[in-house]
Structure formats: structure tokens, C-alpha cells
Amino acid sequence: MNFENINNVYFIGVGGIGMSAIARYFVANGKQVGGYDKTPTDITSALQDLGVTIHFNDDVSEIDTQFLDAESTLVIYTPAIPKGHSEFEYFKTNNFNILKRSEILGEITRQTFCLAVAGTHGKTTTTSILGHLLNACNSPVTAFLGGISENYNSNLILNGTEVTVVEADEFDRSFLTLSPDLACITSMDADHLDIYGNAEELVKSFKDFSECIKPGGKLFVKNGLPLNGITYGIEDDADYSAQNISIENGSYVFDVKTPKGLHKGFRFSLPGRHNLSNAIIALAMAAEYGCTYKDLITALESYKGVKRRFTYQIKTEDFVFVDDYAHHPEEIKAVHQAVREMYPGKKVLAVFQPHLFSRTKDFIDEFAESLSKFDELLLLDIYPARELPIEGVTSKWLLDKIKNTNKKLIQKSDLINEIKKSKAQVVLTIGAGDIGQEVKHIKEAFYVEN
């Protein structure tokens, strides 16, 4: 596809985190960009500030006329749109050039030197670390992020178009459209079983992804995964491994063992061994791309994180409030490990909003186990996202399975009052639904008092 022949790009689902990054990319490349989304958010407001025309009713009559020319308009859509979406049907009926988000990323990566990050957990953080490292080393990189980088206050890092960094998303197998030069797989835990049916099919799709790498390219894998590649890990015998780890002022200080020797004095400020693991693979890929370790030490130390990935909202001696996107049992365990490592002996209250009826059903016992680890738990109703309810799958069902006497099912309207009743010194909000919108209200309620 020749992007030069396209003047207009229209997005169905423009407010999605991945979609909005591509929208920003096309704005930066001088295209007219517009789109539809279901609800206004901070992301859609930021896009409108860039000149993107957005409306919130599924109605063809609200689409700007410039986007109704099939010759000069590219339509990009998210697979999350419901069946029978009238704008999507209109574009289809009138023979517009229509691509899924993953297909447009595939086109972009085909025309660039691409570094792709795959895995059921850690994609967004790893991608943002890798994009930051390459940018700080002054590579001509565009990084498409699945979250808002704290360093750039954006989900797009733009320093040139010769190199791309992308998340390789296993949801609906969309990562099979990519053509990476360097790729990594961080994890292959069961997820998206509504799409795959079983864990074996999910693992097979990751193997298929590893075969999408361009000739002469390289695959990096977390040590222990059943795939051949350059390995990485923590305090182990992997090709790239974090060694001599200590914690100083809430940051990890460590050395990196590489196939060519030991490099000392790295510093990384994100808590949790899972985040340290993400930093190691980002360092390995950046080094294999050609960044020097001297530059990488400086670049990693300046990395600030991704919004909603163990993001400190309040951090005082007496009270800590952290927000995190964790929505899978393994991610919740990782957040728990991080908070216990950073705040040993402190009482921890977790507020969790389950995401998707299907995921709750598929991992009900694993969710119960991971949530039982906190000192106190406040549970919200399931956030449905793209799904209709499943009979019997409720937060009450999950609550009953959680082995913790300090647990309670609450409504969002009662959230602040319930937190105020707690004596916890550390409060966590976790989940991938709209719980993130409650964060500013909690912060306002507690910031004055602490």
C-alpha cells in the first residue's frame, strides 16, 4: 500500500489506546484524520486538540464529507466494534479501502525495520521501555504504545520513520499480520479463551507469530518458554540476565549479563520483578539493534513508566496510592509481589474491577487465589466491555471464592467511603475497565488528608 495516495484516514473506534496511536501517526504525517467512538474520553479530547474530527453517535450523516470519498480515504477499524455497526456497513457497501488496526500496523512494519513485542503480559510496558531506549539513543524510531507513556504523555513516540516499535497483540491473532526484524515473546499464559478455545491454540499462535519474523531476523524469548530463541531472565542462566540486584530508594540497581560479557550499573525505577524482566528484554533488543550500553544505562535511568502500570498517585511516608491495569490473575500476582517487595509489613487494600464475563469465568479460581493475597479487598461489578452477560458469572460468585475475611462487594459510588473506613497504608486500584476513571476522585479525596 502506498500511503502517499491517501489524503484522509477515518477510524471506527478512534478512542482505543492502540487506534489513537495510529491516528496520531497519520496526523504527524500530514493526513486529514477523523473518526467515531462510543464515548468521549481524555484520549478523544487529546486527539481533537490535534485537529482530529470525532463524533460519538454511530451515524453516517455525522461523518465529515471529506471522509466520504472512497478514492482518497482509508478506513481503519477495531475488531471490538459490534456487529451491524452502521458506519462500518456503509464503508463496506461503498467499497472503501478498509483495514483492521492490525493490518495497518502490518503495512507500516513491512516498510520499516520493526521491533515487535508479543506476550500475554508485559507488552505495553516492554514496548514503552524499548521505544524510550531507542528514542533516547537517537534512533529514527516511531513507537506505537498500548498505553500513555509518562515520559512523553502520549501513546506515540515519534523521532523518525525508518524504525518501528509495536505491540504484537495476540487478541484475535492480529499479530500474525506483522513482519518484525526483531521480536520477543514475554509470556504465553492462557488468556482470550473466548477467541482461542484452549491454551494449546494460544501457544500455537505464538509459534506461528515467531515464523512471521523477516529472514535474518531474531526471536527473543523469556527463559523457560517452549520456543527456541535468544533467552532473557532474572538471576538465571539466560543469554541476557539481570544479576547482582539490589533496591536503593525504591529503584532496582543491577548488572546485565550478556552473551559478550557483564555490563554494570543499571538503574530502573519501576517496582516489581515482572517490570525488571520487561526492562531486561527491552535492553537486549535495543543492544541487538545497535545501541551502546553506555547510552542504554543513561536511557533506562530516565524511564518513568506507563500510566496505569503501577502508577503512583500518592506517595508519602504514611500513605501510598497506586493504580494498575492488571486484569489477569498472573498480572495481579505480579502487582502483589511488587507492593510486598516495596512496602514490606504494610497493610494493603486492593480495589479490583473484573474485566469481561468470559475472562472471569475462565479464570475464576485463579482470580480468587491471586486476590486472596491482599490484606483487604473491595470488589466492583464486572466490566462487560465488548460482551453480553453470562448467566451465573458475577462478582458475587468471585467474592464467595476469595479466601479473605476482609472482603466486600461494593458499588463505585461507595468506593471513596469504603476506602476511608480502611486502616490500610497502601491502596491499589486494579483492573482494565473504567476503574481508571475513579482514580482522580480517589486522589482528590485523599490528597488533602495525606
Side-chain angles (χ1 to χ4, degrees):
M1 176 180 289
N2 187 349
F3 293 148
E4 287 177 16
N5 298 336
I6 294 161
N7 299 325
N8 313 305
V9 188
Y10 187 83
F11 290 81
I12 303 175
V14 69
I17 197 74
M19 291 280 278
S20 58
I22 300 170
R24 286 173 177 273
Y25 174 79
F26 280 114
V27 169
N29 279 278
K31 309 299 182 188
Q32 293 298 311
V33 178
Y36 155 85
D37 211 290
K38 197 165 53 175
T39 48
T41 61
D42 291 345
I43 290 174
T44 56
S45 298
L47 289 173
Q48 287 169 318
D49 291 343
L50 292 174
V52 177
T53 57
I54 301 175
H55 61 269
F56 302 97
N57 296 312
D58 174 18
D59 187 341
V60 175
S61 68
E62 292 197 27
I63 301 173
D64 268 20
T65 53
Q66 67 190 14
F67 299 108
L68 298 177
D69 174 16
E71 292 296 310
S72 62
T73 300
L74 170 65
V75 177
I76 300 170
Y77 73 98
T78 169
I81 60 165
K83 285 192 173 107
H85 192 278
S86 65
E87 292 186 14
F88 180 70
E89 293 301 325
Y90 171 85
F91 288 123
K92 213 162 60 170
T93 304
N94 290 280
N95 298 316
F96 277 71
N97 193 356
I98 304 173
L99 291 177
K100 257 198 304 198
R101 180 181 74 91
S102 56
E103 291 170 330
I104 194 69
L105 268 183
E107 284 292 334
I108 293 167
T109 60
R110 206 166 287 120
Q111 299 171 32
T112 59
F113 186 96
C114 173
L115 299 91
V117 177
T120 41
H121 322 298
K123 284 190 295 292
T124 297
T125 301
T126 305
T127 306
S128 80
I129 300 170
L130 181 54
H132 174 68
L133 294 178
L134 292 177
N135 184 61
C137 294
N138 206 27
S139 309
V141 65
T142 298
F144 297 93
L145 311 179
I148 304 296
S149 161
E150 297 278 10
N151 287 81
Y152 306 93
N153 198 30
S154 175
N155 51 354
L156 185 74
I157 302 171
L158 192 59
N159 191 44
T161 53
E162 293 168 37
V163 180
T164 48
V165 175
V166 299
E167 286 189 34
D169 191 358
E170 75 281 359
F171 174 71
D172 79 352
R173 298 179 173 83
S174 62
F175 59 178
L176 301 182
T177 61
L178 301 176
S179 302
D181 294 87
L182 303 178
C184 76
I185 298 174
T186 64
S187 49
M188 298 192 304
D189 292 311
D191 198 5
H192 302 303
L193 297 186
D194 53 326
I195 303 291
Y196 285 97
N198 59 54
E200 290 74 25
E201 274 299 305
L202 180 71
V203 170
K204 181 182 177 297
S205 76
F206 278 105
K207 288 181 176 169
D208 292 342
F209 167 70
S210 72
E211 290 164 14
C212 295
I213 296 170
K214 290 174 190 165
K218 294 175 181 174
L219 175 68
F220 299 76
V221 295
K222 180 82 176 284
N223 203 12
L225 291 180
L227 287 170
N228 293 323
I230 299 166
T231 56
Y232 73 97
I234 295 177
E235 294 176 324
D236 60 7
D237 60 353
D239 298 314
Y240 287 86
S241 177
Q243 302 286 342
N244 308 320
I245 301 164
S246 60
I247 295 174
E248 292 179 12
N249 300 324
S251 294
Y252 287 114
V253 178
F254 62 99
D255 303 331
V256 180
K257 176 178 80 70
T258 78
K260 295 178 180 174
L262 191 71
H263 297 271
K264 297 184 176 181
F266 286 86
R267 188 176 286 270
F268 183 62
S269 62
L270 256 63
R273 291 288 172 121
H274 61 300
N275 283 322
L276 184 55
S277 175
N278 296 335
I280 292 297
I281 181 52
L283 287 167
M285 292 176 79
E288 293 274 352
Y289 167 74
C291 298
T292 68
Y293 283 102
K294 184 181 172 202
D295 287 342
L296 288 173
I297 287 172
T298 307
L300 188 67
E301 189 167 354
S302 65
Y303 176 75
K304 293 178 185 171
V306 179
K307 283 187 169 61
R308 300 221 63 227
R309 303 309 194 276
F310 212 95
T311 303
Y312 284 103
Q313 301 292 334
I314 301 173
K315 190 179 185 182
T316 68
E317 284 294 314
D318 305 318
F319 186 78
V320 173
F321 170 32
V322 171
D323 179 45
D324 195 278
Y325 186 72
H327 56 285
H328 183 283
E330 291 301 318
E331 293 165 353
I332 294 168
K333 281 183 191 171
V335 170
H336 177 264
Q337 182 275 322
V339 81
R340 294 296 188 201
E341 186 176 43
M342 291 298 158
Y343 300 102
K346 293 206 170 177
K347 191 174 184 183
V348 181
L349 163 67
V351 181
F352 179 57
Q353 181 189 48
H355 184 261
L356 298 179
F357 296 103
S358 60
R359 186 182 282 121
T360 306
K361 175 174 167 282
D362 289 337
F363 303 107
I364 188 77
D365 292 326
E366 292 86 348
F367 274 121
E369 184 198 348
S370 61
L371 292 167
S372 297
K373 294 174 182 291
F374 298 101
D375 300 310
E376 287 183 58
L377 178 73
L378 295 175
L379 192 62
L380 298 172
D381 285 329
I382 297 169
Y383 183 79
R386 56 186 179 267
E387 293 184 335
L388 294 171
I390 298 172
E391 190 176 346
V393 179
T394 63
S395 286
K396 176 70 168 67
W397 181 40
L398 173 57
L399 187 81
D400 290 343
K401 283 180 169 281
I402 293 167
K403 295 183 174 119
N404 186 330
T405 51
N406 297 313
K407 62 181 181 179
K408 192 173 185 182
L409 180 61
I410 64 163
Q411 298 300 308
K412 275 189 292 190
S413 54
D414 298 327
L415 187 49
I416 289 167
N417 283 336
E418 290 294 339
I419 296 171
K420 282 182 175 175
K421 289 179 191 173
S422 171
K423 299 280 192 293
Q425 298 128 304
V426 181
V427 173
L428 301 171
T429 45
I430 46 183
D434 59 4
I435 188 171
Q437 292 170 26
E438 302 302 313
V439 168
K440 56 188 170 194
H441 305 307
I442 299 168
K443 191 172 177 179
E444 284 164 10
F446 285 86
Y447 209 73
V448 179
E449 296 170 30
N450 294 283

